[in-house]
Amino acid sequence: MATRSHMLLALSLFVTHVSNQSGASRWEERNPGVWTTEFGRHDTPTLTEASGSTPLKGQIEKLPRAELPFKINEVKLTKTRDYCVVSVPLKPGEKIFGLGMQMSGINRRGGVYHLQVDHFAEGHDRLHAPTPMYISSLGYAVFLNTSRPINFYVGVGNRRTDPKIPAFKDRNTDRNWDAQPDSGQVEASVQAPGLEITILAGPTAMQALQRYNLFCGGGAMPPLWAVGFWHRTPSLATSSQVSQEVDEFAKRGFPLDVIGLEPGWQSRSYPGSMEWSPERFPNPKQFVSSMAEKGIHVNLWENPYVAPGSSLFKKLESRFGSHTVWLGAVPDVFDDKASKSIRDFHTDKHLNIGVSGYKIDEVDGFDFWLWPDHATFPSGLDGLQMRQIYGVLWQKLIDNMYRQKGQRTFGLVRGSNGAASRLPFAIYSDTYDHHQYITALINSSLAGVTWCAEIRSADSNEEWVRRMQSACLSPIAQLNAWDSGKKPWSYPAVSEEIREAMLLRESLVPYLYTAFAQYRLSGIPPVRPMCLIDGGVESDQYMLGDNLLFAPMFVGAKTRTVRLPAGKWYDYSSGKFAGSSQTITIAPSLSEIPLYVRGGAAIPTIPGALRADSIKPCLLRCYGEGPYVAPIYEDDGISFGFEQGHYFLGTARINKGKITTKLEDGLRPNVMTKFEYVVIAP
Amino acid sequence: MATRSHMLLALSLFVTHVSNQSGASRWEERNPGVWTTEFGRHDTPTLTEASGSTPLKGQIEKLPRAELPFKINEVKLTKTRDYCVVSVPLKPGEKIFGLGMQMSGINRRGGVYHLQVDHFAEGHDRLHAPTPMYISSLGYAVFLNTSRPINFYVGVGNRRTDPKIPAFKDRNTDRNWDAQPDSGQVEASVQAPGLEITILAGPTAMQALQRYNLFCGGGAMPPLWAVGFWHRTPSLATSSQVSQEVDEFAKRGFPLDVIGLEPGWQSRSYPGSMEWSPERFPNPKQFVSSMAEKGIHVNLWENPYVAPGSSLFKKLESRFGSHTVWLGAVPDVFDDKASKSIRDFHTDKHLNIGVSGYKIDEVDGFDFWLWPDHATFPSGLDGLQMRQIYGVLWQKLIDNMYRQKGQRTFGLVRGSNGAASRLPFAIYSDTYDHHQYITALINSSLAGVTWCAEIRSADSNEEWVRRMQSACLSPIAQLNAWDSGKKPWSYPAVSEEIREAMLLRESLVPYLYTAFAQYRLSGIPPVRPMCLIDGGVESDQYMLGDNLLFAPMFVGAKTRTVRLPAGKWYDYSSGKFAGSSQTITIAPSLSEIPLYVRGGAAIPTIPGALRADSIKPCLLRCYGEGPYVAPIYEDDGISFGFEQGHYFLGTARINKGKITTKLEDGLRPNVMTKFEYVVIAP
């Protein structure tokens, strides 16, 4: 009997194995230029399941038809004792971008990556967002859709039987000996019963990224206010202290749109109650209303670890993981009922009195704070897998919460992963190196996520200014002063430079809002790495939207070089011609921001704005020789109407003094904004 | 039919699961004070299987009878979807040592460790020797006998249902809030079908370590020559250049015992032939003989990755892993036939002409050099598991090779793991931080391995001297100049200080050889961390053998503190009284070595020795007040006769001018060495 059952078992495993192998080659083009296959038994959840993403098929269809630079059957799928292995060919000179929101480097070829969610510390493995996706400079992307940790060997590890193995060289005598002979393959592996693999065509590298973002539901579309300026108050600030601080921004003429409350808004924290502190916020409804009257949106810090004293705790009915975090219970947010309890609780306590969004802290790491890899959860996921997607699940939960109210949100989160493009959150970190922040900004776009290059404090006036300039020219502009207590005017000698940077930011809201809409509708992220638009160049410059090029200055550097791509480029502030297809060296003073505009472009702005509550009246700043063209997006700024097409996407064109607008996409027949224009010239 | 087979399968899995669970509590005391259990299906190979270790039962029986500070059934074994989990209780104040040859810190409580073999870079996870064993300050050790990577959460991760969970505190208001509440448990987990767990009693922490080392076959017993001084020549040195360099040592009066040849001795390297270079070593037999005539032993660098042109390649008959390293084939040394081919080849080409040992490089990492985790090997191990034990398997292979010749060896290796105590290798690294080297020296003993705190080069005279002093007061003293080309006299201004340190080392060979014998026979390592002998103190000082205390000096420090334990302590060089149970501050000049001797001890030395070819004539240096006692070990220095008891272990005692020796262990009735003594006093 035992013998017979073993025989049946053996037979059944063999059949499964064979069907896996043959199944592996069944690639389906479910969306144009997007091929998917299931390899082995499908692991639950995939990243697309965790994030609740479905492809924006209609938008994908607008991308040009494209093929891959290799035959899809050259992608090899093999199973070993413990691993599913995927091998994708690499061509000589091909560069590989992505593999998570990396904090250093851009081209991943020649490296090994063991991608896991963690608070970033060092290296390339443990990341806030270890998206298992890469983009090739040859114009395609590969996405391994699994919620398990994954290993990538990018051109590393030659197979012994590979007929194309490089020629041997003797290190003793051959000067051309190579310490790391390229394998001509990306090999990726995951310890799981199976995974889904998706390969996306370009034809360009940027279009491959666009296809990936659209495959994941399109980029996140923030409410208009989220494109303005964010500030966070000290942890134990009371409602009246917060009000005073907000008023101080207005009094001094500094823009502000979002005020973030840190742990002290709760009656207890670490573990948290998620309920208002009766001491520090005795009348939360009135507080949030008074903020709204001033045009200020309230964002609440939370981490998801629930104190037993909280009324949420009882509602979750022990749908918790085996281990605690800061002694708080860890809700199993892969469980629908737990998610519903959290949604109802938050809607009742926060959303219904006007809270606009959340900052979800500490869903990433560190190991010594989070649950162990072997923790168990009621839904059946283990700790390792849950950690890979915990930030994603929370983002989805909060997005759904606001969707039920028909109201867009935008928030902050410390952990994310693949298929999260559509989720309205920017990632932040407890690290604080300016170079790493800029690299993260570039690599976040290459990973299909958004990064908040926030400012917290500075050791010098110079640092304060340079970091504020970077923060203001990144997708989400935030002063996070929960710990430092800093205000924008905390360094009096450079207060004016700071105000200028913040006013620049606020004035660019119409332009940046359009850039986000492009992210949503065509998958092009607001921050555009030069490697995707300037022949694979690895650089710390980046394009912000279609027409602005920013070259950040770092503390201590008096000069820097800027590589200006094809076209003519002009200084944003003065309109002075800067160059064309060339590398220039600049020496900007502290008040000068190295920001360049493409010739012929018009940049939609609202000069002097202190709130991001409207995109009108809109001034088009024109550079170089006309006619000038500005991309323009407009919608109601707050609802999900844009998902039903209630938006205007098109251009404003200034030719010989006349402004015309043209609808390219969306239902609204004409733009309602009144435009004016000015040609910026020295 | 299918349904029925699934039912049978389900039933069978259930039964297995239950028997795992109940089996887990069957602890067997197979050796006194050593309890072992099998948890789940036994994973092949365990670390003891990989290293070929069997307990020295007779020696374990000499340790005092001991119990654990908890009931063995308080150790919880649970299985989750993917993990075997082991939980061991921790008491308040209990310190945890070990968990691999760590490069920073000593007490592991409060940390998380994902132990994997790698070249050390940063952090606590990827180590040259990630021994999955820890020692408690309460006097027991825990060894998880598995060749898979393993996670340890040391007092980290409170379980929600733990009745002893600490009290909640509100971070907002409670100053006593704890960022990391202790869990009162070590939880360890491994992704494997099962593992073997061994718990070893003390009663002291040192005795728990002793029990572990004896359980693993006792510490490695080097041949006498290996305790002397080692030097490595530049990679492309020819046989005549090496001979000249060796002669230069003698001419200048610097001791030398081992000369190490680097990749250039091979006809090709990276990948290597493992065959002599006809250009650089035209007559290897004559070269090795000429070295032997000078009393010099030859050590050969190798890494295990075989060039197809080598005659070894054909002999291995494709018993290689799927992936190459530097395009060389990776022998599956878990395969007996492959191991035999390698053994026969090396015996023929090297051992039979007198080569004394090997330096096995690059069996540890880095990721971008080694095979991927998902590589496959003919024996069925995957890349991840093979990498955990590859260094151990090579050590065993080479040890067996020399055992067949009845000749002891000692070598160097870059990767090791648990159960490797008995293997005659010291670990080295490509990192080169002096502080890390000293910490590694201390933690190597806490991990049951030996560390080579070698010297390679220096940026200043001071560094050259201080590092040489440390190198000379560590288990294996080596100048590794393959890259720098440095000789001991390369810094002329401090040449005399260097010679003094090297002469000190050579003179201490009888003392250090005894310390190694103690490692072998009682499991006490030569380097003894203060935390095991001075009440858990975490310190960068260490005891070398029974009676010497060394406090290393680091570059830039003009003074340091030294904590002198109970007893009276004397300066080694001058005999001056230094203190007793107190912390002193010293300011040693560059030529002064902070080395202290326990009062009443006699240190066996050979003054002025230039070769470690004998332990006679032996001068006992006596300190403080008599009677003086010296531990003494003697054997033939080269064979395995000591394993059959052919040794003398005992004491020499000097009382009122008379020297008596006393046999305590071993077959030899009396010591053959002629002793003299001198009382060292200011």
Side-chain angles (χ1 to χ4, degrees):
Chain A
M1 190 70 159
T3 310
R4 193 172 163 192
S5 87
H6 282 136
M7 277 178 59
L8 291 169
L9 169 59
L11 184 65
S12 135
L13 287 176
F14 179 72
V15 171
T16 311
H17 187 61
V18 168
S19 75
N20 284 342
Q21 295 280 23
S22 64
S25 56
R26 265 189 259 113
W27 292 90
E28 284 180 61
E29 192 176 354
R30 295 184 196 164
N31 293 278
V34 183
W35 293 270
T36 297
T37 192
E38 305 279 342
F39 180 32
R41 268 157 296 156
H42 179 278
D43 198 18
T44 298
T46 59
L47 290 171
T48 42
E49 285 165 354
S51 70
S53 301
T54 50
L56 286 188
K57 196 163 186 166
Q59 300 304 117
I60 296 175
E61 282 166 355
K62 293 179 185 164
L63 289 171
R65 181 78 219 160
E67 296 297 328
L68 299 172
F70 49 81
K71 290 201 188 90
I72 195 118
N73 283 331
E74 289 180 56
V75 177
K76 297 263 180 299
L77 308 175
T78 48
K79 272 205 137 184
T80 70
R81 189 188 67 183
D82 290 343
Y83 290 94
C84 293
V85 184
V86 182
S87 305
V88 185
L90 281 177
K91 294 204 160 48
E94 183 176 355
K95 290 185 179 183
I96 295 298
F97 309 120
L99 296 178
M101 194 188 68
Q102 298 284 350
M103 293 280 196
S104 65
I106 292 176
N107 182 7
R108 304 279 147 229
R109 190 157 182 168
V112 179
Y113 304 86
H114 304 288
L115 295 181
Q116 284 194 45
V117 167
D118 202 342
H119 192 288
F120 174 78
E122 283 300 327
H124 294 104
D125 292 347
R126 291 180 162 244
L127 308 173
H128 295 287
T131 315
M133 184 273 291
Y134 66 81
I135 303 156
S136 159
S137 61
L138 295 186
Y140 65 94
V142 176
F143 174 44
L144 302 194
N145 195 5
T146 172
S147 52
R148 310 274 187 134
I150 192 157
N151 310 307
F152 281 91
Y153 299 79
V154 187
V156 173
N158 282 275
R159 285 186 180 262
R160 193 169 54 81
T161 52
D162 183 349
K164 288 186 282 184
I165 196 165
F168 296 93
K169 289 169 185 155
D170 174 18
R171 186 182 181 183
N172 289 338
T173 54
D174 191 336
R175 280 164 183 272
N176 295 320
W177 176 82
D178 188 351
Q180 222 185 295
D182 189 89
S183 75
Q185 300 280 331
V186 173
E187 289 199 0
S189 58
V190 56
Q191 274 188 306
L195 78 161
E196 194 182 278
I197 304 148
T198 291
I199 301 189
L200 308 104
T204 67
M206 177 63 94
Q207 286 162 329
L209 172 60
Q210 290 176 250
R211 225 176 274 267
Y212 167 79
N213 285 328
L214 295 172
F215 174 76
C216 300
M221 186 66 212
L224 185 62
W225 54 260
V227 187
F229 196 84
W230 300 48
H231 175 63
R232 309 197 74 83
T233 48
S235 191
L236 293 179
T238 62
S239 54
S240 60
Q241 286 167 336
V242 173
S243 293
Q244 278 169 33
E245 196 153 321
V246 164
D247 293 343
E248 190 81 3
F249 273 72
K251 217 177 294 170
R252 291 174 180 261
F254 284 78
L256 184 66
D257 298 279
V258 183
I259 197 78
L261 307 184
E262 291 287 319
W265 72 267
Q266 297 186 39
S267 58
R268 63 186 311 161
S269 75
Y270 291 89
S273 61
M274 305 185 190
E275 292 170 313
W276 294 92
S277 159
E279 289 80 32
R280 291 176 294 275
F281 288 83
N283 195 334
K285 190 177 174 179
Q286 190 192 48
F287 167 76
V288 179
S289 298
S290 75
M291 287 295 118
E293 281 160 23
K294 294 170 185 170
I296 302 296
H297 295 261
V298 175
N299 174 288
L300 296 182
W301 175 98
E302 272 187 7
N303 69 13
Y305 313 116
V306 190
S310 166
S311 63
L312 176 60
F313 189 92
K314 294 162 209 77
K315 291 188 179 136
L316 286 167
E317 287 170 2
S318 290
R319 291 173 196 275
F320 296 122
S322 56
H323 289 70
T324 59
V325 177
W326 289 293
L327 306 176
V330 182
D332 183 346
V333 283
F334 189 54
D335 177 293
D336 284 340
K337 286 198 184 156
S339 299
K340 186 178 180 306
S341 298
I342 294 168
R343 209 152 52 222
D344 292 347
F345 175 91
H346 283 72
T347 301
D348 178 44
K349 304 272 183 186
H350 311 148
L351 273 62
N352 286 348
I353 64 168
V355 167
S356 297
Y358 294 89
K359 171 187 174 186
I360 303 299
D361 208 9
E362 291 139 344
V363 285
D364 50 345
F366 296 87
D367 280 347
F368 48 80
W369 281 337
L370 289 203
W371 57 87
D373 291 352
H374 57 259
T376 55
F377 286 86
S379 59
L381 302 191
D382 66 18
L384 183 68
Q385 200 178 0
M386 185 61 95
R387 182 160 162 193
Q388 289 292 96
I389 55 174
Y390 204 64
V392 169
L393 292 171
W394 269 93
Q395 290 177 62
K396 179 175 67 173
L397 197 163
I398 289 173
D399 180 54
N400 284 343
M401 206 184 282
Y402 279 94
R403 280 180 178 272
Q404 282 192 346
K405 282 193 79 73
Q407 178 188 335
R408 271 182 262 168
T409 185
F410 206 89
L412 295 155
V413 71
R414 235 176 58 187
S416 196
N417 206 326
S421 316
R422 74 169 193 88
L423 295 169
F425 285 83
I427 300 163
Y428 65 101
S429 180
D430 269 1
T431 59
Y432 194 54
D433 178 88
H434 195 187
H435 286 279
Q436 286 181 346
Y437 267 39
I438 297 299
T439 309
L441 211 48
I442 289 157
N443 284 321
S444 65
S445 291
L446 298 170
V449 293
T450 300
W451 165 246
C452 173
E454 68 185 22
I455 180 165
R456 295 206 288 263
S457 188
D459 292 333
S460 66
N461 291 333
E462 182 191 4
E463 187 191 353
W464 187 244
V465 172
R466 292 309 190 190
R467 295 200 71 139
M468 182 62 91
Q469 291 170 351
S470 293
C472 287
L473 291 167
S474 74
I476 296 297
Q478 174 172 272
L479 167 51
N480 181 2
W482 77 269
D483 183 50
S484 70
K486 291 277 165 34
K487 332 277 177 237
W489 49 90
S490 288
Y491 298 71
V494 291
S495 193
E496 208 37 51
E497 281 82 355
I498 295 295
R499 206 173 79 95
E500 284 301 321
M502 288 170 64
L503 285 171
L504 169 64
R505 166 66 184 208
E506 204 74 6
S507 76
L508 285 172
V509 162
Y511 176 79
L512 295 170
Y513 195 56
T514 300
F516 272 107
Q518 292 168 331
Y519 189 28
R520 156 76 193 182
L521 294 167
S522 65
I524 308 181
V527 168
R528 302 173 187 180
M530 302 315 287
C531 65
L532 296 190
I533 51 181
D534 190 20
V537 164
E538 298 159 53
S539 162
D540 61 1
Q541 309 167 196
Y542 55 87
M543 294 290 296
L544 192 59
D546 281 348
N547 294 317
L548 293 179
L549 170 63
F550 176 52
M553 290 296 295
F554 300 97
V555 167
K558 295 298 161 216
T559 64
R560 68 159 293 158
T561 56
V562 183
R563 184 181 150 113
L564 298 168
K568 291 183 172 177
W569 295 87
Y570 298 86
D571 180 73
Y572 179 85
S573 170
S574 66
K576 202 179 145 194
F577 177 68
S580 173
S581 301
Q582 72 191 94
T583 297
I584 59 172
T585 299
I586 57 171
S589 72
L590 211 48
S591 57
E592 287 173 324
I593 303 175
L595 184 63
Y596 302 92
V597 191
R598 194 193 298 275
I603 308 294
T605 64
I606 305 177
L610 295 181
R611 295 285 181 273
D613 50 6
S614 158
I615 66 164
K616 57 192 169 215
C618 189
L619 179 70
L620 300 166
R621 290 171 66 97
C622 303
Y623 293 84
E625 291 155 34
Y628 307 103
V629 179
I632 296 288
Y633 174 87
E634 199 180 355
D635 64 11
D636 67 13
I638 50 167
S639 81
F640 288 97
F642 74 97
E643 293 190 350
Q644 275 68 51
H646 296 289
Y647 60 85
F648 173 97
L649 179 66
T651 50
R653 186 180 160 92
I654 301 110
N655 195 11
K656 297 175 184 162
K658 199 178 148 214
I659 306 179
T660 52
T661 56
K662 187 178 162 202
L663 176 77
E664 283 171 2
D665 195 2
L667 291 177
R668 209 183 293 188
N670 214 332
V671 70
M672 296 170 70
T673 299
K674 177 93 187 123
F675 291 107
E676 296 186 359
Y677 81 94
V678 56
V679 177
I680 310 292
Chain B
M1 188 70 161
T3 310
R4 191 170 167 195
S5 88
H6 282 135
M7 278 178 60
L8 290 169
L9 169 58
L11 184 66
S12 136
L13 287 176
F14 179 72
V15 171
T16 313
H17 186 60
V18 168
S19 74
N20 283 341
Q21 296 279 24
S22 64
S25 58
R26 266 187 260 113
W27 291 91
E28 283 180 62
E29 191 176 355
R30 295 182 195 164
N31 292 277
V34 183
W35 293 269
T36 296
T37 194
E38 306 278 343
F39 179 31
R41 265 157 300 156
H42 180 279
D43 197 19
T44 299
T46 60
L47 290 171
T48 44
E49 286 166 353
S51 71
S53 300
T54 49
L56 286 187
K57 195 163 188 166
Q59 301 302 118
I60 296 174
E61 282 164 357
K62 292 178 186 166
L63 288 171
R65 180 79 217 158
E67 296 297 331
L68 300 172
F70 49 80
K71 293 202 186 89
I72 195 121
N73 283 331
E74 290 179 56
V75 177
K76 297 266 180 297
L77 308 173
T78 47
K79 272 205 138 184
T80 70
R81 188 187 68 184
D82 290 343
Y83 289 95
C84 293
V85 184
V86 183
S87 305
V88 185
L90 282 177
K91 293 204 161 47
E94 183 175 355
K95 290 183 179 183
I96 296 298
F97 308 120
L99 297 178
M101 193 186 71
Q102 298 284 348
M103 292 279 193
S104 65
I106 293 177
N107 182 8
R108 302 281 146 229
R109 190 158 181 168
V112 178
Y113 304 85
H114 305 287
L115 297 180
Q116 285 196 43
V117 167
D118 202 342
H119 190 289
F120 173 78
E122 282 301 325
H124 294 104
D125 292 348
R126 293 181 160 241
L127 308 173
H128 294 288
T131 316
M133 183 274 290
Y134 66 82
I135 304 156
S136 160
S137 61
L138 296 185
Y140 65 93
V142 176
F143 173 45
L144 303 194
N145 195 5
T146 173
S147 51
R148 307 274 187 134
I150 192 159
N151 309 308
F152 282 90
Y153 298 79
V154 186
V156 173
N158 282 273
R159 283 186 183 262
R160 195 168 53 80
T161 53
D162 184 350
K164 288 187 279 184
I165 195 165
F168 296 94
K169 288 168 187 157
D170 174 19
R171 186 182 181 183
N172 290 338
T173 55
D174 191 336
R175 279 164 184 273
N176 295 318
W177 176 83
D178 188 352
Q180 223 186 294
D182 190 89
S183 77
Q185 300 279 334
V186 173
E187 289 198 359
S189 57
V190 56
Q191 273 187 309
L195 77 163
E196 194 182 278
I197 304 149
T198 291
I199 302 190
L200 308 103
T204 66
M206 177 63 95
Q207 285 161 331
L209 172 61
Q210 291 176 250
R211 225 176 275 265
Y212 166 80
N213 285 328
L214 294 171
F215 173 77
C216 300
M221 187 66 210
L224 185 62
W225 54 260
V227 187
F229 195 85
W230 299 48
H231 175 63
R232 308 198 75 83
T233 47
S235 191
L236 293 180
T238 63
S239 54
S240 61
Q241 286 167 336
V242 173
S243 293
Q244 278 170 31
E245 195 153 322
V246 164
D247 292 345
E248 190 82 1
F249 273 72
K251 219 177 293 170
R252 291 173 179 262
F254 285 77
L256 183 67
D257 298 279
V258 182
I259 197 79
L261 307 184
E262 292 287 320
W265 72 266
Q266 296 185 37
S267 58
R268 62 187 311 163
S269 75
Y270 291 87
S273 62
M274 306 185 189
E275 295 171 310
W276 294 91
S277 158
E279 289 80 32
R280 291 176 293 274
F281 287 85
N283 195 335
K285 189 176 175 180
Q286 190 192 48
F287 167 75
V288 179
S289 298
S290 75
M291 288 294 117
E293 280 160 25
K294 296 169 185 173
I296 301 295
H297 296 260
V298 175
N299 174 288
L300 297 182
W301 175 98
E302 271 187 6
N303 70 12
Y305 313 116
V306 189
S310 166
S311 65
L312 177 59
F313 190 92
K314 295 163 208 78
K315 290 189 180 136
L316 285 168
E317 287 169 3
S318 289
R319 291 172 196 274
F320 297 121
S322 56
H323 289 70
T324 59
V325 177
W326 289 293
L327 305 176
V330 182
D332 183 346
V333 283
F334 189 55
D335 177 292
D336 284 341
K337 286 198 183 157
S339 300
K340 187 178 180 306
S341 297
I342 294 168
R343 208 152 52 223
D344 292 349
F345 175 91
H346 283 74
T347 301
D348 177 45
K349 304 270 183 186
H350 310 148
L351 273 61
N352 286 348
I353 65 167
V355 167
S356 296
Y358 294 89
K359 171 188 175 186
I360 303 298
D361 207 8
E362 292 141 343
V363 286
D364 50 346
F366 298 87
D367 280 347
F368 47 81
W369 281 337
L370 289 202
W371 57 87
D373 292 353
H374 57 258
T376 55
F377 285 86
S379 59
L381 302 189
D382 66 18
L384 184 68
Q385 198 178 2
M386 185 60 96
R387 182 160 161 192
Q388 288 293 95
I389 55 175
Y390 204 64
V392 168
L393 293 170
W394 268 92
Q395 289 176 65
K396 178 175 70 175
L397 196 163
I398 289 171
D399 180 55
N400 284 343
M401 208 184 280
Y402 279 93
R403 280 181 178 271
Q404 281 191 346
K405 282 195 77 81
Q407 178 188 335
R408 270 183 264 167
T409 184
F410 205 90
L412 295 155
V413 72
R414 236 176 56 187
S416 195
N417 205 327
S421 318
R422 73 170 194 88
L423 295 168
F425 285 83
I427 300 163
Y428 66 100
S429 181
D430 269 0
T431 60
Y432 193 55
D433 178 88
H434 195 188
H435 287 278
Q436 286 181 344
Y437 267 39
I438 296 300
T439 309
L441 211 48
I442 288 158
N443 284 322
S444 66
S445 291
L446 298 170
V449 293
T450 300
W451 166 246
C452 173
E454 68 186 22
I455 181 166
R456 296 207 287 262
S457 187
D459 292 331
S460 66
N461 290 333
E462 182 191 5
E463 187 192 353
W464 187 243
V465 172
R466 293 308 189 190
R467 295 201 71 138
M468 182 61 93
Q469 290 170 351
S470 293
C472 287
L473 290 167
S474 74
I476 295 299
Q478 175 171 272
L479 167 51
N480 180 2
W482 77 269
D483 182 50
S484 70
K486 290 279 163 36
K487 332 272 178 242
W489 48 88
S490 288
Y491 296 72
V494 291
S495 192
E496 204 41 47
E497 282 83 354
I498 295 296
R499 207 173 78 94
E500 283 302 320
M502 289 171 63
L503 286 171
L504 170 65
R505 165 67 184 209
E506 204 75 4
S507 76
L508 284 172
V509 162
Y511 175 80
L512 294 169
Y513 195 55
T514 301
F516 272 108
Q518 291 167 331
Y519 188 28
R520 156 76 193 181
L521 293 166
S522 65
I524 308 181
V527 168
R528 301 173 189 181
M530 303 315 287
C531 65
L532 296 189
I533 52 180
D534 190 16
V537 164
E538 297 158 55
S539 161
D540 61 0
Q541 310 167 195
Y542 56 87
M543 297 287 299
L544 192 59
D546 282 348
N547 295 317
L548 292 179
L549 171 64
F550 176 52
M553 290 297 293
F554 299 97
V555 167
K558 296 297 164 215
T559 65
R560 67 159 293 157
T561 58
V562 183
R563 184 181 150 114
L564 299 168
K568 291 182 172 175
W569 296 87
Y570 299 86
D571 179 75
Y572 180 86
S573 171
S574 66
K576 203 178 144 195
F577 177 68
S580 173
S581 301
Q582 71 192 95
T583 298
I584 59 172
T585 299
I586 58 170
S589 72
L590 212 49
S591 58
E592 287 172 326
I593 303 175
L595 184 63
Y596 301 92
V597 191
R598 194 192 297 276
I603 308 295
T605 64
I606 305 176
L610 296 180
R611 295 283 182 275
D613 50 6
S614 157
I615 67 165
K616 56 191 173 223
C618 188
L619 178 70
L620 300 166
R621 290 171 67 98
C622 302
Y623 294 84
E625 291 157 34
Y628 307 102
V629 178
I632 297 288
Y633 174 87
E634 199 180 356
D635 64 13
D636 67 13
I638 49 166
S639 83
F640 288 97
F642 73 96
E643 293 189 352
Q644 274 70 51
H646 296 290
Y647 60 86
F648 173 95
L649 179 66
T651 50
R653 185 180 160 92
I654 301 109
N655 195 12
K656 295 172 183 163
K658 199 178 148 215
I659 305 178
T660 53
T661 56
K662 187 180 159 202
L663 177 77
E664 283 170 3
D665 194 3
L667 291 177
R668 207 185 292 187
N670 214 330
V671 69
M672 297 172 69
T673 299
K674 178 89 185 123
F675 291 108
E676 295 187 359
Y677 82 94
V678 57
V679 177
I680 310 293

